[in-house]
Amino acid sequence: MKRTAFFISDGTGITAEALGNSLLMQFEKIDFHKVILPYTDTVEKAREAVKRIRRAAEDDGVRPLIFDTIVDEKIRAELRSAEGCMVDIFGTFLEPLEQELGAKSTYTVGSSHSIASKVGYDRRIDAMNFALDNDDGARIRQYDEADLILVGVSRSGKTPTCIYLALQYGIKAANFPITEDEILDQKLPKALKIHRHKIFGLTIDPERLALIRHERKPNSRYSSIKQCNYEVEEVEMMYRRERIPFLNSTDYSVEEISTRILLMTGIERRIR
């Protein structure tokens, strides 16, 4: 038996996904196809979500489940028009699911804190090891295995993002620093060209970059606002010239950076 479950949020979707998954784990005999729709923060985006929900209903022959953490009532009203089974994850939990699925939950105590499967656990460990082994361009020969290669100037957020993607989603993410030599050349480093389809760029506001670098090497050329301005401007020019998708990480947490990267690239999460 298959059911489609949508996790819809006006933010990263982490809360909707985590709590929704905790509930669905109680129905061990049902196969759930999970769809995460983060940053559904306008009525227009909600309408697009409704189209996907209706397509899933047609494909499955039953109503999809909708877990949401939407605050705006207009957006919630739009989602209700899809006629899925909407679950208010901050309200009543298991009872409406039991009625809709025609099954009693197992009420397994602590299942939301357990390892969902050995496969998922192993993927996290493998991805984490991969991120550590491929930090700062350490082992480019392993890039064939990568799901994603993050590039950017030093201290733009590449390493913590790779680690979060590994631990949270089982994604093998490597990172490659764009040095001053590559900036001067204004071309994608030769080692990366064959992997162009896996590359995503990070950038950051120069003022923020200077503060971060100052903590590491105070009063140095490396941390000067002039150097930071230069590197950021040049790397963004390279991204545009090479048509590399990129994101400014300045105002986002590592969770938000990771979620936006997945949204922009379409990379599938390895752990559901």
Side-chain angles (χ1 to χ4, degrees):
M1 181 179 181
K2 176 196 168 188
R3 297 296 292 263
T4 299
F6 286 83
F7 303 86
I8 306 177
S9 172
D10 49 13
T12 64
I14 291 173
T15 300
E17 186 179 357
L19 293 178
N21 274 325
S22 295
L23 299 179
L24 294 183
M25 285 171 64
Q26 310 300 324
F27 302 92
E28 299 173 348
K29 295 183 180 179
I30 298 174
D31 179 25
F32 293 103
H33 173 62
K34 300 172 185 178
V35 180
I36 299 93
L37 300 179
Y39 301 110
T40 306
D41 51 8
T42 65
V43 171
E44 289 72 23
K45 290 179 182 178
R47 286 173 184 157
E48 290 301 314
V50 167
K51 290 179 184 177
R52 295 188 64 174
I53 293 166
R54 287 175 176 165
R55 284 198 298 268
E58 291 175 3
D59 292 342
D60 296 348
V62 289
R63 295 194 300 171
L65 309 173
I66 306 170
F67 298 88
D68 80 277
T69 53
I70 302 292
V71 175
D72 190 291
E73 183 54 37
K74 290 182 180 178
I75 297 175
R76 287 178 59 81
E78 191 66 36
L79 292 176
R80 282 195 291 270
S81 71
E83 298 181 352
C85 173
M86 288 194 69
V87 181
D88 179 2
I89 62 176
F90 297 121
T92 306
F93 284 81
L94 288 174
E95 185 176 347
L97 276 176
E98 291 175 334
Q99 293 174 358
E100 177 65 23
L101 297 172
K104 295 293 289 184
S105 76
T106 57
Y107 292 99
T108 305
V109 176
S111 61
S112 63
H113 301 290
S114 64
I115 297 172
S117 69
K118 186 178 185 303
V119 172
Y121 178 77
D122 288 345
R123 281 179 179 170
R124 279 193 175 93
I125 297 301
D126 288 346
M128 184 63 184
N129 287 335
F130 184 89
L132 294 175
D133 286 345
N134 292 275
D135 188 41
D136 275 343
R139 298 187 181 182
I140 58 175
R141 67 179 182 275
Q142 295 183 340
Y143 282 6
D144 285 342
E145 300 176 35
D147 299 308
L148 174 74
I149 302 170
L150 282 185
V151 299
V153 299
S154 173
R155 314 306 287 180
S156 57
K158 301 183 300 300
T159 297
T161 301
C162 287
I163 291 173
Y164 183 85
L165 286 167
L167 288 177
Q168 188 71 20
Y169 303 123
I171 288 172
K172 289 186 175 181
N175 81 75
F176 189 99
I178 302 298
T179 66
E180 197 163 354
D181 289 340
E182 277 96 29
I183 289 174
L184 287 170
D185 195 29
Q186 270 299 302
K187 292 181 180 178
L188 195 65
K190 185 177 179 181
L192 297 180
K193 289 184 178 179
I194 193 174
H195 304 290
R196 177 185 293 272
H197 61 292
K198 298 180 180 182
I199 297 173
F200 189 93
L202 289 182
T203 186
I204 186 171
D205 289 353
E207 294 79 8
R208 176 61 179 158
L209 181 61
L211 286 173
I212 294 171
R213 288 183 172 185
H214 182 75
E215 293 177 1
R216 187 178 184 187
K217 293 184 179 180
N219 304 315
S220 63
R221 176 175 175 271
Y222 170 77
S223 63
S224 70
I225 188 63
K226 180 179 178 181
Q227 180 67 16
C228 292
N229 265 314
Y230 167 72
E231 290 186 29
V232 169
E233 287 178 8
E234 293 296 316
V235 80
E236 288 183 6
M237 285 176 59
M238 188 193 77
Y239 291 157
R240 294 186 181 98
R241 183 177 291 111
E242 296 283 350
R243 297 182 180 179
I244 296 169
F246 67 94
L247 174 71
N248 189 314
S249 64
T250 306
D251 297 323
Y252 299 128
S253 65
V254 67
E255 295 88 350
E256 290 174 308
I257 294 169
S258 300
T259 302
R260 288 179 183 274
I261 288 172
L262 296 186
L263 187 63
M264 292 170 71
T265 61
I267 293 174
E268 291 289 331
R269 305 172 189 215
R270 302 296 179 243
I271 299 171
R272 295 288 186 176

